[in-house]
Amino acid sequence: MFILCGTVGALIITVFEILFFCKKRNFGNILHAAVRNIFIINLISIALLRYVFKYQHFLDTSAYGTENFLKYFALSIVVGIIWLLFAAFINRYLTFEDGKRKKTHGTRFIKILACFLFMLGCAAFFGTIWGKDSFGDVTADQLIINLISPTSGADTGVYIDIFERPVFQTMLCTAVFSLFVYSDFSIVYHGIRKNITVFNDLAHRIISIILGIAMLAGGIAYGYQEFQLKQLYNAYIAESDFIGDNYVDPRDTKIKFPKKKRNIIHIYLESMENSYLSKDLGGYMDENLMPQLTELAYEGDVFSNTGRKFGGPLQGTGTQWSVASMVNMMTGLPMKVPAEQNAYGTKDNFLPGAYTFGDMLRDQGYEQTIMIGADGNYGGVSYLYQLHGGYKIFDHRYAIEQGLIPEDYKVWWGFEDDKLYEYAKAEITRLYNTGKPFNFTMETADTHRPHGYLSEKAPTPYSDKYSNVIAYSTSETVKFVRWIQQQPFYDNTTIVLIGDHLSMDTDFFADFDPNYLRTQFNLILNPAPNVANTPAERFINRQYCNFDMFPTILASMGVEIKGDRLGIGTNLYSDTPTVFEEYGFDYVNNELEKKSDFMNNNILVDPTKPQEDTTAAETTKK
C-alpha cells in the first residue's frame, strides 16, 4: 500500500515534469520519466520511512491505517518535488543567474529579521529535543522552576552538552539558512518559447521571511506540545482553591512525639525506580538489576500502587526532580511555580511560610545534617535545609573546607558516592555521640543522568553502563544499611530509602512499552512499634504521591498525628484516604497545576511578616 501511494505521487510529479521540463513529449520519453520517477521517489521515500520515521515495515502494512498511507503519499510528493527541481537544474531547464539586487535598509532589515526568527525557531526545536532527551517527560513547572533556581555547582557536563547539541545545532542551521538569505541569485526557467525568471529578488525576500516565521511557529508548537506548555496557563492564570481547601497546617495540628524520640535516617536514592526489578517482581528487566536491595525490601514496609510487593508513588505535579522531591517530603506540598521569580532563590526565602519536617524536628531538639556530594546551593537545596531546621550542610564545599578532598577535586557532581557513604558513617556516628535524637538526610548521585557515574570499584556484568551503575549503586546502599543495622543506635532508628524521582536517562528507557507505569522505589526499615501491626491491605493498591511521605515518615518514627494529614499529604499507615484516593488522580493533578493563591500568599512568602509594597517602592525610587 505504501508503494502504491508513492507510485501515485510519482505519477503526479511526472505530469509536472512532462508539462514544464520535457521538450520532446513522445511515448518513450513519457514512459521513461514515469518509470524512473516511480523507482527513485519510492526508494527515497521508503528509506526515509524506515530510517528517519522508524516505521518497522513497508511491505506488511496490516498494522497501519489510512493516516499512515496519506502521510506517505505527502512524503512522496515532497521527495518528488525536490527530485524534480534537482533534475531540472542538472539538465539546465532551470539555471542560477546573478540577481543584481539592490541593498536598501528595507531589504537588510528583512534579511536580519528572517535569520533572527529562524534562529529562535531552531532554538525552540533543538532545545525541546535536548530537553526531552536529557530529562525525559519534563513539564512546564519543572522547566520554569529550574530556570529560576540557583545553578551553582551543577555538573559541567550539562553545560557542555547544551553547547554541543542545541546551541551548536541552532548555530549551524542558522548559518546555512543565512547563506540562502544573503545569497544574490535568481532562478531562470528556460521554456520552450521563452525564458522566464521564476525566482527574483522579491520572491527571495518573501520566501526568506516565510521560512523564518514557519520555523519559529514550528519550533514553538513542538515545544508547546512536548513540554506541555499549556500548564503555564494553569500555573499563572487558571486558579484553584484545592491546596487551600485541603491543606492541614502542621502548626495547628495536634502532633505527639513518643517519649523516647526515634532517630531518622532518610536516604534519597537518585533516580531509583522499580523498573530496574525483574519482570516477575513487577519491573521491566529480564534480570533483576538490584537483587540486594530487593532482599532488603522484604525486611521492611513498601507502599505499592499495585497488588504486588513493589510499587510506588504516582507522578504528581511538582514532584519529579530532586529538589521538588525534597520539598514534597519536607512540607507535604508540591513544588509550585512561584508568583515571584526569586521565591526559591535565597537562604531566607525558600518557602518561608511553610512549617516543615525539619522545623518540627528542630523544635523537638533533634540534631540534623543533610549530606550531598554536589554543591548544596544547586537548586537551592542548602537554602531549604538551612531555613527549615538549621541543618548542618555537608556538601562538596564543606568536604573541601574540612580537608577531606583537595580544593580542585571534582568527580561527577562533586564527590562520588563511594566517598559519600564513608563520610556518612562518620557523620552519623558524630550525631549519635551528641546524645540528642538525630535526623540524618542524604542523597546519592552516581545514578544521575546521563548514564550515571561508574565507580572504579564497580564490576561490569552488564553490556550497558547504566545497568552496571544501578547494580553497583544499589549494592553499596545495602552495604551502608547493613552497617547502620550493626550500630548501637539502630534499635531506636528508622531508615527511609526512596527514589527521589524517576530516572531522566531517556536512552535507557527508549525501548520501554509506553503503557508500562514506572514508579519510584520506596522502603521503610525498622518503623516504630506502634505501626508494626498495620494491616497488609494498606501497603498495596495505594494511590499516593511524594508529598504523602511527610506524615508517613513521621508516623514511622512513632509520631501520632491527629487526623493523619499534614500539608495535603496523608499518613499511609492510617486508614485515611490520600487526596488521590479521595478525589481521583487526574482531578487532583489538574488542580495542582493551577495557580494557588494559598501557596502564593501563605507558603511562598511568610504571611506573618509584612510584604514590601513593590509599587510604592518603585514610586519612591522614581
Side-chain angles (χ1 to χ4, degrees), residues 190-227:
H190 300 275
I192 298 173
R193 293 187 176 84
K194 63 178 181 178
N195 296 342
I196 302 173
T197 300
V198 295
F199 186 81
N200 57 19
D201 181 41
L202 178 61
H204 196 157
R205 280 179 284 164
I206 292 174
I207 290 175
S208 295
I209 200 71
I210 288 175
L211 288 176
I213 294 172
M215 189 66 196
L216 177 62
I220 292 174
Y222 183 62
Y224 181 90
Q225 177 182 358
E226 293 297 312
F227 282 136

mmCIF file of all heavy atoms in Angstrom, residues 190-227:
data_model
loop_
_atom_site.group_PDB
_atom_site.id
_atom_site.type_symbol
_atom_site.label_atom_id
_atom_site.label_comp_id
_atom_site.label_asym_id
_atom_site.label_seq_id
_atom_site.Cartn_x
_atom_site.Cartn_y
_atom_site.Cartn_z
ATOM 1 N N HIS A 190 14.060 28.034 -18.473
ATOM 2 C CA HIS A 190 14.288 28.054 -19.922
ATOM 3 C C HIS A 190 13.191 27.267 -20.604
ATOM 4 O O HIS A 190 13.291 26.045 -20.808
ATOM 5 C CB HIS A 190 15.662 27.471 -20.235
ATOM 6 C CG HIS A 190 16.770 28.248 -19.584
ATOM 7 N ND1 HIS A 190 17.324 29.377 -20.160
ATOM 8 C CD2 HIS A 190 17.397 28.091 -18.390
ATOM 9 C CE1 HIS A 190 18.265 29.858 -19.360
ATOM 10 N NE2 HIS A 190 18.328 29.095 -18.267
ATOM 11 N N GLY A 191 12.099 27.961 -20.930
ATOM 12 C CA GLY A 191 10.938 27.314 -21.518
ATOM 13 C C GLY A 191 11.105 27.032 -22.994
ATOM 14 O O GLY A 191 12.119 27.369 -23.628
ATOM 15 N N ILE A 192 10.073 26.434 -23.526
ATOM 16 C CA ILE A 192 10.109 26.059 -24.944
ATOM 17 C C ILE A 192 10.099 27.302 -25.824
ATOM 18 O O ILE A 192 10.803 27.370 -26.849
ATOM 19 C CB ILE A 192 8.902 25.156 -25.270
ATOM 20 C CG1 ILE A 192 8.999 23.870 -24.450
ATOM 21 C CG2 ILE A 192 8.831 24.840 -26.761
ATOM 22 C CD1 ILE A 192 7.774 22.977 -24.569
ATOM 23 N N ARG A 193 9.337 28.307 -25.435
ATOM 24 C CA ARG A 193 9.223 29.515 -26.268
ATOM 25 C C ARG A 193 10.087 30.675 -25.763
ATOM 26 O O ARG A 193 10.639 31.430 -26.533
ATOM 27 C CB ARG A 193 7.754 29.964 -26.328
ATOM 28 C CG ARG A 193 6.863 28.979 -27.072
ATOM 29 C CD ARG A 193 5.453 29.563 -27.236
ATOM 30 N NE ARG A 193 4.616 28.694 -28.016
ATOM 31 C CZ ARG A 193 3.942 27.655 -27.541
ATOM 32 N NH1 ARG A 193 4.036 27.376 -26.242
ATOM 33 N NH2 ARG A 193 3.192 26.907 -28.311
ATOM 34 N N LYS A 194 10.176 30.829 -24.417
ATOM 35 C CA LYS A 194 10.952 31.955 -23.905
ATOM 36 C C LYS A 194 11.453 31.642 -22.499
ATOM 37 O O LYS A 194 10.999 30.706 -21.834
ATOM 38 C CB LYS A 194 10.110 33.232 -23.876
ATOM 39 C CG LYS A 194 8.901 33.160 -22.951
ATOM 40 C CD LYS A 194 8.146 34.495 -22.948
ATOM 41 C CE LYS A 194 6.939 34.432 -22.010
ATOM 42 N NZ LYS A 194 6.225 35.722 -21.957
ATOM 43 N N ASN A 195 12.417 32.434 -22.052
ATOM 44 C CA ASN A 195 12.965 32.295 -20.705
ATOM 45 C C ASN A 195 12.153 33.152 -19.733
ATOM 46 O O ASN A 195 11.789 34.288 -20.054
ATOM 47 C CB ASN A 195 14.420 32.731 -20.664
ATOM 48 C CG ASN A 195 15.289 31.829 -21.519
ATOM 49 O OD1 ASN A 195 14.880 30.719 -21.864
ATOM 50 N ND2 ASN A 195 16.487 32.301 -21.857
ATOM 51 N N ILE A 196 11.904 32.596 -18.545
ATOM 52 C CA ILE A 196 11.107 33.292 -17.538
ATOM 53 C C ILE A 196 11.852 33.260 -16.211
ATOM 54 O O ILE A 196 12.305 32.197 -15.771
ATOM 55 C CB ILE A 196 9.724 32.625 -17.356
ATOM 56 C CG1 ILE A 196 8.963 32.585 -18.680
ATOM 57 C CG2 ILE A 196 8.916 33.344 -16.286
ATOM 58 C CD1 ILE A 196 7.679 31.789 -18.616
ATOM 59 N N THR A 197 11.970 34.416 -15.547
ATOM 60 C CA THR A 197 12.565 34.475 -14.209
ATOM 61 C C THR A 197 11.499 34.063 -13.200
ATOM 62 O O THR A 197 10.519 34.794 -12.986
ATOM 63 C CB THR A 197 13.082 35.887 -13.885
ATOM 64 O OG1 THR A 197 14.077 36.247 -14.848
ATOM 65 C CG2 THR A 197 13.699 35.923 -12.496
ATOM 66 N N VAL A 198 11.695 32.906 -12.576
ATOM 67 C CA VAL A 198 10.681 32.377 -11.659
ATOM 68 C C VAL A 198 11.033 32.644 -10.200
ATOM 69 O O VAL A 198 10.209 32.444 -9.315
ATOM 70 C CB VAL A 198 10.501 30.852 -11.871
ATOM 71 C CG1 VAL A 198 9.937 30.579 -13.249
ATOM 72 C CG2 VAL A 198 11.809 30.106 -11.658
ATOM 73 N N PHE A 199 12.264 33.060 -9.968
ATOM 74 C CA PHE A 199 12.670 33.347 -8.588
ATOM 75 C C PHE A 199 13.526 34.610 -8.614
ATOM 76 O O PHE A 199 14.698 34.586 -8.954
ATOM 77 C CB PHE A 199 13.471 32.167 -8.012
ATOM 78 C CG PHE A 199 13.801 32.328 -6.542
ATOM 79 C CD1 PHE A 199 12.868 32.025 -5.574
ATOM 80 C CD2 PHE A 199 15.045 32.789 -6.142
ATOM 81 C CE1 PHE A 199 13.169 32.170 -4.222
ATOM 82 C CE2 PHE A 199 15.358 32.938 -4.795
ATOM 83 C CZ PHE A 199 14.418 32.627 -3.837
ATOM 84 N N ASN A 200 12.905 35.741 -8.243
ATOM 85 C CA ASN A 200 13.600 37.014 -8.281
ATOM 86 C C ASN A 200 13.825 37.554 -6.873
ATOM 87 O O ASN A 200 13.599 36.867 -5.880
ATOM 88 C CB ASN A 200 12.830 38.013 -9.144
ATOM 89 C CG ASN A 200 11.394 38.200 -8.652
ATOM 90 O OD1 ASN A 200 11.073 37.884 -7.504
ATOM 91 N ND2 ASN A 200 10.533 38.707 -9.526
ATOM 92 N N ASP A 201 14.249 38.792 -6.791
ATOM 93 C CA ASP A 201 14.568 39.421 -5.509
ATOM 94 C C ASP A 201 13.364 39.448 -4.570
ATOM 95 O O ASP A 201 13.460 39.126 -3.385
ATOM 96 C CB ASP A 201 15.070 40.840 -5.765
ATOM 97 C CG ASP A 201 15.450 41.540 -4.473
ATOM 98 O OD1 ASP A 201 16.065 40.883 -3.613
ATOM 99 O OD2 ASP A 201 15.128 42.729 -4.309
ATOM 100 N N LEU A 202 12.201 39.798 -5.083
ATOM 101 C CA LEU A 202 11.001 39.864 -4.264
ATOM 102 C C LEU A 202 10.628 38.480 -3.729
ATOM 103 O O LEU A 202 10.306 38.318 -2.544
ATOM 104 C CB LEU A 202 9.840 40.449 -5.083
ATOM 105 C CG LEU A 202 8.496 40.543 -4.356
ATOM 106 C CD1 LEU A 202 8.612 41.443 -3.126
ATOM 107 C CD2 LEU A 202 7.401 41.052 -5.309
ATOM 108 N N ALA A 203 10.681 37.489 -4.608
ATOM 109 C CA ALA A 203 10.362 36.128 -4.185
ATOM 110 C C ALA A 203 11.345 35.645 -3.126
ATOM 111 O O ALA A 203 10.964 34.956 -2.167
ATOM 112 C CB ALA A 203 10.380 35.194 -5.390
ATOM 113 N N HIS A 204 12.615 36.024 -3.310
ATOM 114 C CA HIS A 204 13.648 35.636 -2.342
ATOM 115 C C HIS A 204 13.333 36.190 -0.951
ATOM 116 O O HIS A 204 13.393 35.465 0.058
ATOM 117 C CB HIS A 204 14.998 36.159 -2.834
ATOM 118 C CG HIS A 204 16.166 35.513 -2.146
ATOM 119 N ND1 HIS A 204 17.418 35.470 -2.717
ATOM 120 C CD2 HIS A 204 16.300 34.874 -0.954
ATOM 121 C CE1 HIS A 204 18.245 34.852 -1.895
ATOM 122 N NE2 HIS A 204 17.590 34.488 -0.827
ATOM 123 N N ARG A 205 12.986 37.446 -0.894
ATOM 124 C CA ARG A 205 12.667 38.065 0.392
ATOM 125 C C ARG A 205 11.409 37.460 1.020
ATOM 126 O O ARG A 205 11.360 37.204 2.221
ATOM 127 C CB ARG A 205 12.487 39.574 0.221
ATOM 128 C CG ARG A 205 13.799 40.351 0.157
ATOM 129 C CD ARG A 205 13.555 41.812 -0.044
ATOM 130 N NE ARG A 205 13.172 42.108 -1.424
ATOM 131 C CZ ARG A 205 12.617 43.246 -1.826
ATOM 132 N NH1 ARG A 205 12.355 44.185 -0.959
ATOM 133 N NH2 ARG A 205 12.326 43.431 -3.087
ATOM 134 N N ILE A 206 10.387 37.243 0.191
ATOM 135 C CA ILE A 206 9.131 36.686 0.706
ATOM 136 C C ILE A 206 9.363 35.281 1.255
ATOM 137 O O ILE A 206 8.920 34.938 2.366
ATOM 138 C CB ILE A 206 8.058 36.657 -0.402
ATOM 139 C CG1 ILE A 206 7.650 38.095 -0.767
ATOM 140 C CG2 ILE A 206 6.852 35.845 0.046
ATOM 141 C CD1 ILE A 206 6.714 38.184 -1.952
ATOM 142 N N ILE A 207 10.081 34.442 0.498
ATOM 143 C CA ILE A 207 10.334 33.073 0.938
ATOM 144 C C ILE A 207 11.202 33.063 2.194
ATOM 145 O O ILE A 207 10.986 32.271 3.112
ATOM 146 C CB ILE A 207 10.985 32.258 -0.196
ATOM 147 C CG1 ILE A 207 9.963 32.026 -1.307
ATOM 148 C CG2 ILE A 207 11.519 30.923 0.327
ATOM 149 C CD1 ILE A 207 10.515 31.329 -2.532
ATOM 150 N N SER A 208 12.171 33.964 2.266
ATOM 151 C CA SER A 208 13.046 34.029 3.446
ATOM 152 C C SER A 208 12.256 34.323 4.705
ATOM 153 O O SER A 208 12.416 33.662 5.736
ATOM 154 C CB SER A 208 14.121 35.101 3.246
ATOM 155 O OG SER A 208 14.986 34.763 2.186
ATOM 156 N N ILE A 209 11.377 35.326 4.638
ATOM 157 C CA ILE A 209 10.616 35.692 5.826
ATOM 158 C C ILE A 209 9.580 34.623 6.166
ATOM 159 O O ILE A 209 9.315 34.335 7.342
ATOM 160 C CB ILE A 209 9.939 37.077 5.646
ATOM 161 C CG1 ILE A 209 9.579 37.677 7.023
ATOM 162 C CG2 ILE A 209 8.740 37.005 4.753
ATOM 163 C CD1 ILE A 209 10.762 38.128 7.823
ATOM 164 N N ILE A 210 9.005 33.984 5.129
ATOM 165 C CA ILE A 210 8.041 32.901 5.370
ATOM 166 C C ILE A 210 8.726 31.728 6.061
ATOM 167 O O ILE A 210 8.196 31.146 7.015
ATOM 168 C CB ILE A 210 7.374 32.451 4.051
ATOM 169 C CG1 ILE A 210 6.404 33.523 3.560
ATOM 170 C CG2 ILE A 210 6.652 31.119 4.240
ATOM 171 C CD1 ILE A 210 5.783 33.224 2.208
ATOM 172 N N LEU A 211 9.930 31.361 5.592
ATOM 173 C CA LEU A 211 10.668 30.259 6.208
ATOM 174 C C LEU A 211 11.035 30.578 7.652
ATOM 175 O O LEU A 211 10.988 29.715 8.525
ATOM 176 C CB LEU A 211 11.922 29.945 5.393
ATOM 177 C CG LEU A 211 11.702 29.268 4.039
ATOM 178 C CD1 LEU A 211 13.033 29.121 3.298
ATOM 179 C CD2 LEU A 211 11.047 27.895 4.218
ATOM 180 N N GLY A 212 11.417 31.843 7.903
ATOM 181 C CA GLY A 212 11.746 32.255 9.263
ATOM 182 C C GLY A 212 10.548 32.135 10.195
ATOM 183 O O GLY A 212 10.643 31.592 11.297
ATOM 184 N N ILE A 213 9.395 32.641 9.735
ATOM 185 C CA ILE A 213 8.174 32.563 10.539
ATOM 186 C C ILE A 213 7.740 31.116 10.740
ATOM 187 O O ILE A 213 7.331 30.711 11.833
ATOM 188 C CB ILE A 213 7.045 33.382 9.876
ATOM 189 C CG1 ILE A 213 7.404 34.874 9.884
ATOM 190 C CG2 ILE A 213 5.714 33.148 10.574
ATOM 191 C CD1 ILE A 213 6.450 35.734 9.084
ATOM 192 N N ALA A 214 7.844 30.317 9.656
ATOM 193 C CA ALA A 214 7.427 28.915 9.744
ATOM 194 C C ALA A 214 8.288 28.144 10.738
ATOM 195 O O ALA A 214 7.783 27.318 11.509
ATOM 196 C CB ALA A 214 7.513 28.265 8.362
ATOM 197 N N MET A 215 9.604 28.423 10.733
ATOM 198 C CA MET A 215 10.492 27.731 11.663
ATOM 199 C C MET A 215 10.182 28.132 13.095
ATOM 200 O O MET A 215 10.174 27.282 14.006
ATOM 201 C CB MET A 215 11.955 28.061 11.331
ATOM 202 C CG MET A 215 12.956 27.217 12.103
ATOM 203 S SD MET A 215 12.829 25.485 11.619
ATOM 204 C CE MET A 215 13.716 24.707 12.969
ATOM 205 N N LEU A 216 9.921 29.410 13.310
ATOM 206 C CA LEU A 216 9.589 29.874 14.657
ATOM 207 C C LEU A 216 8.273 29.254 15.133
ATOM 208 O O LEU A 216 8.191 28.741 16.256
ATOM 209 C CB LEU A 216 9.478 31.397 14.674
ATOM 210 C CG LEU A 216 9.059 32.017 16.017
ATOM 211 C CD1 LEU A 216 10.090 31.703 17.099
ATOM 212 C CD2 LEU A 216 8.880 33.522 15.870
ATOM 213 N N ALA A 217 7.260 29.273 14.266
ATOM 214 C CA ALA A 217 5.960 28.713 14.638
ATOM 215 C C ALA A 217 6.077 27.205 14.898
ATOM 216 O O ALA A 217 5.509 26.683 15.866
ATOM 217 C CB ALA A 217 4.937 28.986 13.539
ATOM 218 N N GLY A 218 6.830 26.522 14.033
ATOM 219 C CA GLY A 218 7.003 25.084 14.207
ATOM 220 C C GLY A 218 7.747 24.739 15.480
ATOM 221 O O GLY A 218 7.386 23.801 16.195
ATOM 222 N N GLY A 219 8.802 25.502 15.779
ATOM 223 C CA GLY A 219 9.577 25.251 16.997
ATOM 224 C C GLY A 219 8.762 25.478 18.255
ATOM 225 O O GLY A 219 8.816 24.681 19.195
ATOM 226 N N ILE A 220 7.980 26.569 18.253
ATOM 227 C CA ILE A 220 7.147 26.867 19.415
ATOM 228 C C ILE A 220 6.050 25.812 19.573
ATOM 229 O O ILE A 220 5.769 25.350 20.683
ATOM 230 C CB ILE A 220 6.532 28.273 19.292
ATOM 231 C CG1 ILE A 220 7.633 29.341 19.412
ATOM 232 C CG2 ILE A 220 5.456 28.493 20.347
ATOM 233 C CD1 ILE A 220 7.144 30.746 19.169
ATOM 234 N N ALA A 221 5.435 25.425 18.454
ATOM 235 C CA ALA A 221 4.377 24.414 18.518
ATOM 236 C C ALA A 221 4.920 23.080 19.031
ATOM 237 O O ALA A 221 4.275 22.397 19.834
ATOM 238 C CB ALA A 221 3.754 24.231 17.137
ATOM 239 N N TYR A 222 6.117 22.717 18.581
ATOM 240 C CA TYR A 222 6.734 21.467 19.023
ATOM 241 C C TYR A 222 7.040 21.521 20.521
ATOM 242 O O TYR A 222 6.760 20.581 21.262
ATOM 243 C CB TYR A 222 8.010 21.208 18.224
ATOM 244 C CG TYR A 222 8.696 19.910 18.559
ATOM 245 C CD1 TYR A 222 8.061 18.700 18.353
ATOM 246 C CD2 TYR A 222 9.989 19.902 19.079
ATOM 247 C CE1 TYR A 222 8.699 17.501 18.646
ATOM 248 C CE2 TYR A 222 10.634 18.713 19.381
ATOM 249 C CZ TYR A 222 9.980 17.518 19.158
ATOM 250 O OH TYR A 222 10.610 16.342 19.466
ATOM 251 N N GLY A 223 7.614 22.640 20.968
ATOM 252 C CA GLY A 223 7.905 22.798 22.390
ATOM 253 C C GLY A 223 6.638 22.829 23.225
ATOM 254 O O GLY A 223 6.582 22.253 24.317
ATOM 255 N N TYR A 224 5.618 23.484 22.700
ATOM 256 C CA TYR A 224 4.334 23.571 23.416
ATOM 257 C C TYR A 224 3.766 22.182 23.664
ATOM 258 O O TYR A 224 3.298 21.861 24.759
ATOM 259 C CB TYR A 224 3.348 24.393 22.591
ATOM 260 C CG TYR A 224 1.983 24.572 23.226
ATOM 261 C CD1 TYR A 224 1.734 25.647 24.062
ATOM 262 C CD2 TYR A 224 0.965 23.659 22.990
ATOM 263 C CE1 TYR A 224 0.486 25.815 24.654
ATOM 264 C CE2 TYR A 224 -0.282 23.816 23.570
ATOM 265 C CZ TYR A 224 -0.510 24.892 24.400
ATOM 266 O OH TYR A 224 -1.746 25.045 24.979
ATOM 267 N N GLN A 225 3.846 21.345 22.619
ATOM 268 C CA GLN A 225 3.290 20.002 22.751
ATOM 269 C C GLN A 225 4.145 19.132 23.663
ATOM 270 O O GLN A 225 3.635 18.465 24.563
ATOM 271 C CB GLN A 225 3.199 19.346 21.367
ATOM 272 C CG GLN A 225 2.685 17.908 21.405
ATOM 273 C CD GLN A 225 2.659 17.280 20.035
ATOM 274 O OE1 GLN A 225 2.977 17.911 19.037
ATOM 275 N NE2 GLN A 225 2.279 16.015 19.979
ATOM 276 N N GLU A 226 5.457 19.135 23.448
ATOM 277 C CA GLU A 226 6.332 18.230 24.182
ATOM 278 C C GLU A 226 6.495 18.632 25.642
ATOM 279 O O GLU A 226 6.578 17.773 26.522
ATOM 280 C CB GLU A 226 7.711 18.172 23.508
ATOM 281 C CG GLU A 226 7.702 17.530 22.142
ATOM 282 C CD GLU A 226 7.287 16.077 22.195
ATOM 283 O OE1 GLU A 226 7.812 15.335 23.036
ATOM 284 O OE2 GLU A 226 6.404 15.685 21.397
ATOM 285 N N PHE A 227 6.573 19.929 25.918
ATOM 286 C CA PHE A 227 6.767 20.394 27.290
ATOM 287 C C PHE A 227 5.448 20.689 28.003
ATOM 288 O O PHE A 227 5.442 21.179 29.129
ATOM 289 C CB PHE A 227 7.637 21.647 27.322
ATOM 290 C CG PHE A 227 9.097 21.371 27.157
ATOM 291 C CD1 PHE A 227 9.859 22.160 26.314
ATOM 292 C CD2 PHE A 227 9.712 20.344 27.839
ATOM 293 C CE1 PHE A 227 11.218 21.921 26.163
ATOM 294 C CE2 PHE A 227 11.058 20.095 27.696
ATOM 295 C CZ PHE A 227 11.815 20.884 26.859
#
